[in-house]
Amino acid sequence: MEDVAERAGVSAMTVSRVLNTPEKVRPDTRARVLDAVRELSYRPNSAARSLVTGRSGVLGVVSFDTTLYGPASTLHGIEQAARSEDYLVTIVSVSALSRRSIGEAVDRLRFQSVDGVVIVAPHESAADGLRHLPPDLPVVVVGASDDLPVPVAAVDQVTGAVRATKHLLSLGHRTVWHVSGPQDWIDASGRIAGWRSVLEAEGREIPEPLLGDWSARSGFEHGKRLARDPEVTAVFVANDHMATGVLRALREAGRQVPQDVSVVGFDDVPEAAYLWPPLSTVRQNFAEVGRLSFQLLLDRIDGRAGAPHRMIEPELVVRESTAARLSG
């Protein structure tokens, strides 16, 4: 640091301010110091910096089933937001969201002196563990219900399902069938609730939901069943991977999409626009989920009382898998 200060013509204290609280340093001075940092390839000593600031500059994330598109995209959004503020992220993956597994994961992160923890908890079963977190640890939860004693950042699943269902009814379909996600998933429950609320409000028949497991295979199996029923003309599928299976089942059965059956998915995975036909779906802004959860956590770390819960509205993306119902 002394070498950087000498090169920039400032004091070591000014170098420290540039690295830790740059907004308190004049732009021209800050630029000189940063130029010297780059020229000398200076890297702060993280242990010494932690002693000065009282922070490690590391955030912990507890994540579940990162092989699925939603949790993986959420994790990526958190990492991107943290990186933009020069925070490192350390991740603990758990195979179940029980009180014990969440507690053990949080303890592992505390041993690494993290400044705070983001918990990605899309299961109803996580609620008990989330109500028994250490009171002195800043925590934010992603994707959980809003009745928890900690801040929550989540996409409004009910609104997304409402928009998908209303879109299909607006095309003249008498009702909408639904291939849902697993029962214990909060996202799946929200999408069922939104779909059902629209059909109830419109006085439409409410078919029994078909329980899937988020996989294309389960969508394919349920799609074969739907394809055999000539009354099925519109299907809202709880994620795009299952929707891919539904599309294939309908095609193999000779039911054309969207001429015979309209299909809407959920997530807007990168492949959705390149399926045949391109899939109408509900887009979740996972980058915004990451940014909001990170900001909520910084508020907790800094002792600021921010909004306890933040909901992000999803966007209906209409492509070529939906069309007006043909008469007959």
Side-chain angles (χ1 to χ4, degrees), residues 136-220:
D136 60 332
L137 177 68
V139 174
V140 169
V141 179
V142 173
S145 57
D146 59 5
D147 60 347
L148 296 171
V150 294
V152 174
V155 174
D156 190 339
Q157 305 296 330
V158 173
T159 293
V162 165
R163 291 176 177 172
T165 308
K166 284 186 173 181
H167 168 62
L168 290 166
L169 292 182
S170 74
L171 297 173
H173 299 282
R174 294 192 183 98
T175 190
V176 177
W177 277 256
H178 182 47
V179 179
S180 76
Q183 287 181 325
D184 190 42
W185 284 71
I186 294 170
D187 291 354
S189 299
R191 293 168 201 176
I192 289 176
W195 160 78
R196 188 185 300 277
S197 70
V198 173
L199 297 183
E200 288 178 345
E202 295 290 334
R204 307 299 179 94
E205 174 195 354
I206 304 176
E208 188 68 24
L210 302 177
L211 185 65
D213 63 7
W214 299 132
S215 71
R217 180 196 57 77
S218 72
F220 179 70

Side-chain angles (χ1 to χ4, degrees), residues 1-2 4-5 8-34 37 42 44 48-49 52-53 86:
M1 189 177 290
E2 294 288 350
V4 172
V10 299
S11 68
M13 182 64 72
T14 298
V15 175
S16 178
R17 289 197 186 99
V18 169
L19 297 175
N20 295 299
T21 55
E23 70 280 358
K24 295 182 179 180
V25 183
R26 292 186 315 183
D28 58 331
T29 302
R30 187 166 65 237
R32 290 206 316 275
V33 170
L34 292 177
V37 166
Y42 172 71
R49 187 174 183 177
V52 173
T53 64
D86 294 326

Side-chain angles (χ1 to χ4, degrees), residues 41-66:
S41 299
Y42 172 71
R43 295 291 181 272
N45 183 301
S46 58
R49 187 174 183 177
S50 178
L51 288 173
V52 173
T53 64
R55 296 183 182 177
S56 65
V58 180
L59 301 180
V61 176
V62 178
S63 184
F64 172 79
D65 204 346
T66 52

